[in-house]
Amino acid sequence: MNTQPRSPVTTHVLDLKTGLPAAGVPVLLEHHRHGKFERMNESRTNHDGRCEALLPPGQPVSTGTYRLTFSTGEYFKTQGETSFFPVVEITFNITDAGRHHHVPLLLSPFGYSTYRGS
């Protein structure tokens, strides 16, 4: 069991074409404030397709609207593939700032799906 503190917002990207984690996907986290999205941090998915360092562990988030932007075209280019969606943006609401929020992305060159994970 992992007892280390973790970022309050994490993601995991799986490549459905290969059935493997998508490593090296650039991810941008933004928070909607004052009528616009403001950059919080950028990272890349690790060898396991996880991006667990979007925010430092213990850094608080507030309630509100957030957006994760995945540079999927860049990822597929490194795989020697073309893709229909060069960028995937997932906008979500945080209504309980004390809770962990995990936003997975299931990805293929011509489609994607997401859900609220745990």
Side-chain angles (χ1 to χ4, degrees):
M1 181 174 162
N2 184 359
T3 59
Q4 295 295 320
R6 63 180 168 177
S7 170
V9 178
T10 57
T11 190
H12 187 196
V13 182
L14 297 172
D15 185 332
L16 294 175
K17 182 174 180 184
T18 64
L20 299 171
V25 178
V27 182
L28 169 66
L29 175 64
E30 298 170 291
H31 185 197
H32 194 265
R33 291 187 285 215
H34 312 294
K36 65 181 180 174
F37 279 99
E38 298 177 359
R39 179 191 177 280
M40 294 185 74
N41 197 20
E42 293 180 59
S43 190
R44 285 184 180 262
T45 56
N46 65 15
H47 71 282
D48 196 29
R50 296 184 182 277
C51 195
E52 297 177 332
L54 283 169
L55 294 172
Q59 179 175 334
V61 293
S62 58
T63 59
T65 302
Y66 291 78
R67 178 170 64 193
L68 286 171
T69 301
F70 300 84
S71 296
T72 53
E74 183 178 327
Y75 165 73
F76 280 115
K77 187 175 182 180
T78 67
Q79 304 301 305
E81 298 274 342
T82 59
S83 66
F84 187 69
F85 300 101
V87 172
V88 171
E89 294 180 342
I90 301 171
T91 304
F92 59 99
N93 291 316
I94 291 182
T95 57
D96 182 351
R99 190 170 176 191
H100 176 251
H101 292 79
H102 185 65
V103 185
L105 176 64
L106 306 175
L107 182 62
S108 81
F110 301 102
Y112 63 91
S113 180
T114 188
Y115 58 96
R116 182 179 181 168
S118 58

